[in-house]
Amino acid sequence: MSLDALLVVAAALFGAGVYGALSQQSFVMIMMGLELMLNATILAVVAFWWGSTGGNPEGQLLAIVVMAVMAIEAAIGFALVTNVYRVRKADITEKLRRLRG
Amino acid sequence: MSGIVDFLFWVFAVAAVVTGWLVFRTDSMVRAAYWLMASFVAVGAILVTLDAQFLGLILILMMAGEMTIMAIFMVMYMMNPAGLNPMTMVHQHRTAAVAGAGAFVALALVGLLADFPDRPAPSGTDPTVDLGVELLGESMLVFESAGVALLAVMIGAIALVSKRGRYGDADEGSEEPILEKTE
């Protein structure tokens, strides 16, 4: 277990998240891609805290901030999905063509 | 001891990446939610092996709750909640795969090639105690700001999903106009 290995694992999770967020049609699946990217971010932040900051607790605090961002993303994301479904009866990106340039 | 920790780390690392990948490989939305939860649990376990027990456990706790809610949303909005019919739910597949692989390679190269300081935590400290003192001491403003942000999000989410707004029903007057085909 080393900082390098942890960062590679985090990069793999982030890459899977990027793939998911770009390739999925359903809004909820896109949100899962975003969550996977935030998962990778938490792993990388804690890896840096563990290997490179000498145990500075502010590193852990940053991880808690990322978790708050994750909760905010989920709450606003679900609210937007509900709103879009109500207004446009859309549950996949292809049904929201008006935003397309 | 460190041999066991190393072994566990690799088990959880492989589990996190594989389950994270399976999220987008399954036909069933509900299964996707639980694969994502498995990925978070594996990352939480890695955090515990990194001596961040508090962060690892609250990550698992938070995700258990969030994925349960997510599964309900899946059933509400999904094209194929139970995965009974095989179907494809992807678009721009090649671009997305290239972007994902590119992000992985670029970030992994940064992780491997950049020269980060090598300063592990000194032994004999308790990270959970340190974090508690930090949260309720020096960094209390950050902690409180996160709480206020979550409160604002609750209000915003309710405003977004409320069925009836100040000017009428949510779906009134905001239906997409029927456009003539311009082909």
Side-chain angles (χ1 to χ4, degrees):
Chain A
M1 187 161 61
S2 66
L3 186 58
D4 287 351
L6 284 161
L7 293 179
V8 170
V9 173
L13 281 171
F14 195 90
V18 168
Y19 164 77
L22 290 181
S23 72
Q24 298 294 313
Q25 293 181 319
S26 150
F27 294 126
V28 181
M29 290 299 280
I30 292 173
M31 281 171 58
M32 296 178 82
L34 297 177
E35 299 252 322
L36 205 54
M37 285 193 250
L38 286 166
N39 192 15
T41 313
I42 289 178
L43 182 58
V45 165
V46 176
F48 278 122
W49 164 79
W50 170 80
S52 265
T53 65
N56 188 339
E58 283 166 4
Q60 288 197 69
L61 183 78
L62 183 58
I64 288 193
V65 170
V66 177
M67 283 184 201
V69 169
M70 204 154 76
I72 289 170
E73 177 260 331
I76 290 294
F78 282 139
L80 283 173
V81 170
T82 306
N83 195 338
V84 161
Y85 185 76
R86 261 201 194 130
V87 174
R88 303 274 187 87
K89 300 280 176 279
D91 62 348
I92 60 171
T93 50
E94 265 71 7
K95 288 189 186 163
L96 279 186
R97 288 173 186 275
R98 216 204 253 164
L99 279 179
R100 202 166 65 175
Chain B
M1 182 61 194
S2 91
I4 300 170
V5 173
D6 266 4
F7 174 72
L8 285 178
F9 163 70
W10 284 111
V11 169
F12 291 132
V14 170
V17 175
V18 169
T19 51
W21 175 244
L22 283 174
V23 170
F24 306 112
R25 294 280 77 173
T26 174
D27 283 333
S28 157
M29 299 282 180
V30 175
R31 269 180 225 145
Y34 285 105
W35 280 129
L36 185 62
M37 183 172 151
S39 181
F40 273 102
V41 168
V43 167
I46 294 177
L47 300 196
V48 171
T49 65
L50 290 181
D51 225 18
Q53 292 92 348
F54 179 73
L55 290 178
L57 290 177
I58 60 167
L59 184 69
I60 293 173
L61 203 65
M62 195 174 127
M63 278 306 127
E66 190 176 325
M67 285 307 129
T68 312
I69 298 170
M70 194 90 132
I72 295 171
F73 269 83
M74 296 284 177
V75 176
M76 279 163 68
Y77 289 118
M78 281 317 133
M79 309 180 256
N80 188 21
L84 297 177
N85 311 312
M87 66 183 296
T88 170
M89 302 182 294
V90 294
H91 56 181
Q92 53 185 8
H93 187 260
R94 186 184 297 264
T95 319
V98 169
F104 166 61
V105 171
L107 289 172
L109 280 179
V110 170
L112 291 174
L113 299 180
D115 195 14
F116 298 112
D118 182 24
R119 275 184 293 164
S123 59
T125 58
D126 186 343
T128 308
V129 172
D130 288 350
L131 177 63
V133 171
E134 181 75 23
L135 278 180
L136 297 179
E138 292 274 302
S139 301
M140 200 176 205
L141 185 63
V142 179
F143 189 43
E144 293 292 324
S145 306
V148 174
L150 286 169
L151 176 66
V153 162
M154 279 188 245
I155 297 168
I158 291 168
L160 275 173
V161 299
S162 61
K163 179 130 180 67
R164 202 183 150 74
R166 187 182 296 172
Y167 303 111
D169 278 352
D171 50 0
E172 208 174 80
S174 33
E175 201 77 71
E176 191 167 14
I178 300 153
L179 300 173
E180 286 175 11
K181 277 200 173 166
T182 51
E183 287 162 16

